[in-house]
Amino acid sequence: MFIQNGTIIDGTKKEQYKGNIRIQNGVIQEIGDITPSPKEEIINAKGKYVVPGFIDLVSYSDIYLTLFSSPGQESSIRQGVTT
């Protein structure tokens, strides 16, 4: 998979920057000024931010029991929450 034209915020406190990302087998392989190979699936992230997952410390999924009614927690995952 190849994500191109995104604004990257990598979580290292560096300034955001434009770039491309290559992902293979679920692992980031390269970031920067790279070009896709002809066989890669391309996702155009122009006008979007590409960031690592977010940790939601106050999701309340345990209090409202949504963890049991919706164990996949799709609403959180779609917002980028990873934990």
Side-chain angles (χ1 to χ4, degrees):
M1 178 185 327
F2 193 86
I3 303 172
Q4 67 182 10
N5 303 320
T7 300
I8 299 170
I9 302 173
D10 62 15
T12 62
K13 298 185 181 180
K14 291 191 296 188
E15 290 291 321
Q16 62 189 28
Y17 57 96
K18 301 279 186 192
N20 301 327
I21 302 171
R22 174 171 287 117
I23 300 171
Q24 293 176 334
N25 300 319
V27 177
I28 296 173
Q29 299 295 319
E30 293 180 87
I31 300 175
D33 187 18
I34 54 177
T35 56
S37 67
K39 296 182 179 182
E40 284 184 297
E41 172 190 359
I42 298 174
I43 296 173
N44 187 2
K46 184 176 182 178
K48 296 183 173 32
Y49 293 100
V50 183
V51 299
F54 297 101
I55 298 173
D56 185 359
L57 298 176
V58 290
S59 69
Y60 300 111
S61 61
D62 55 342
I63 295 172
Y64 295 108
L65 300 177
T66 61
L67 187 57
F68 299 108
S69 62
S70 180
Q73 296 294 291
E74 292 86 0
S75 63
S76 293
I77 292 171
R78 289 187 181 128
Q79 296 178 59
V81 175
T82 60
T83 302

